[in-house]
Amino acid sequence: MSTFTVGEELTPLTIDVTRDQLVRYAGASLDFNPIHWNEAFAKEVGLPDVIAHGMLTMALGARLVTDWLGDPGRLVDYFARFTRPVVVPNEGAAKIEFTGKVAVVNDDGTARVDITAKFEGKAVLGKAQAVVRT
């Protein structure tokens, strides 16, 4: 891709997050907070169950963009707020749906992509935006 077009939509991405993935992410990130693996602890602190790492959810949103770009080196900046937890069941998976759209094309060849991440139909990332370059 050499140019960007305002309104251009990225190919949607759906990711199934499992408890196994949470354990592997914890090992890679060194984030062993028990809310990400211990159901009893998560409930004790007021969560409905074990939740996915916010940074994992954010990284998956970046994957939407880098898959579309075909080159992760073209991702210049990325920002998101965590608005709602992704609850990961003991059996099965939490399905997160990512979509994105080119919102602004700048004169310097960069563009802003707005990203939506939904779990159970509700946004889990707020104001998720990536700046990309040609």
Side-chain angles (χ1 to χ4, degrees):
M1 163 179 326
S2 58
T3 61
F4 303 107
T5 305
V6 171
E8 182 178 357
E9 294 185 9
L10 284 63
T11 303
L13 177 66
T14 300
I15 302 286
D16 290 332
V17 177
T18 64
R19 294 259 179 114
D20 178 62
Q21 288 171 311
L22 297 184
V23 171
R24 287 185 275 138
Y25 184 82
S29 67
L30 301 179
D31 181 352
F32 296 104
N33 187 323
I35 64 173
H36 303 304
W37 58 269
N38 184 315
E39 185 174 325
F41 183 86
K43 289 180 178 181
E44 187 177 299
V45 297
L47 295 168
D49 207 333
V50 166
I51 64 170
H53 301 75
M55 294 302 289
L56 171 60
T57 304
M58 188 175 172
L60 294 172
R63 179 177 156 194
L64 168 80
V65 177
T66 58
D67 283 358
W68 172 68
L69 290 170
D71 176 3
R74 293 174 56 201
L75 176 61
V76 176
D77 195 16
Y78 180 44
F79 174 86
R81 294 184 186 151
F82 306 121
T83 59
R84 177 174 283 111
V86 174
V87 179
V88 181
N90 190 41
E91 299 293 326
K95 186 180 296 292
I96 309 174
E97 299 170 328
F98 297 92
T99 57
K101 184 184 291 191
V102 176
V104 176
V105 175
N106 301 307
D107 292 337
D108 65 358
T110 63
R112 188 187 85 218
V113 176
D114 292 345
I115 301 162
T116 301
K118 290 187 177 184
F119 168 66
E120 296 182 337
K122 296 178 183 174
V124 295
L125 295 177
K127 198 173 172 123
Q129 298 177 338
V131 175
V132 298
R133 64 178 172 78
T134 53

